[in-house]
Amino acid sequence: MYDDGQCSGLKPAVAAVFCLLAAGCTTRPEQGDVWMSSEQANAVTQQMEARGMMPAAIDCRLDVPSTPPQYATRILWVPNTENVIWRWDVGDAEYMRQREASAALGNLTVVQRRTGADAYCAIWRS
């Protein structure tokens, strides 16, 4: 058994993890572990932005090779405590080059980029 003085800082952290697990936070799309269609990802983005959150990590893949292509995205969200201007996007190489140029015009810099055989995604912030 531990002395309360030695691990008092650990107990709240452990309790918080158990609360998150019990609440199902680890399986919610906004936590970055669920693949979402573009429509779903855009809807979650609106919800998270309204809650004062910003994307911290992104992953993407070509979900259905069709015309137009259908991408799947996973995004991990964190509080946007400093009111950072941000955006994310997913697409093919050419589309992402256009988005990169547009982001640069808005003084946004890439903070994460994922590249794959058929899908590219990135997060930009001010």
Side-chain angles (χ1 to χ4, degrees), residues 16-49:
V17 168
F18 284 122
C19 287
L20 289 172
L21 290 172
C25 291
T26 59
T27 59
R28 293 172 53 186
E30 60 265 22
Q31 293 303 314
D33 61 346
V34 175
W35 289 102
M36 299 176 285
S37 69
S38 295
E39 294 80 20
Q40 292 168 325
N42 288 331
V44 168
T45 295
Q46 289 177 346
Q47 294 169 1
M48 299 309 284
E49 188 171 21

Side-chain angles (χ1 to χ4, degrees), residues 85 87 100 103-104 106-112 123-126:
I85 297 170
R87 70 198 237 195
E100 182 91 26
N107 292 322
L108 301 177
T109 57
V110 70
V111 294
Q112 185 191 12
I123 298 171
W124 294 272
R125 292 191 197 141
S126 59

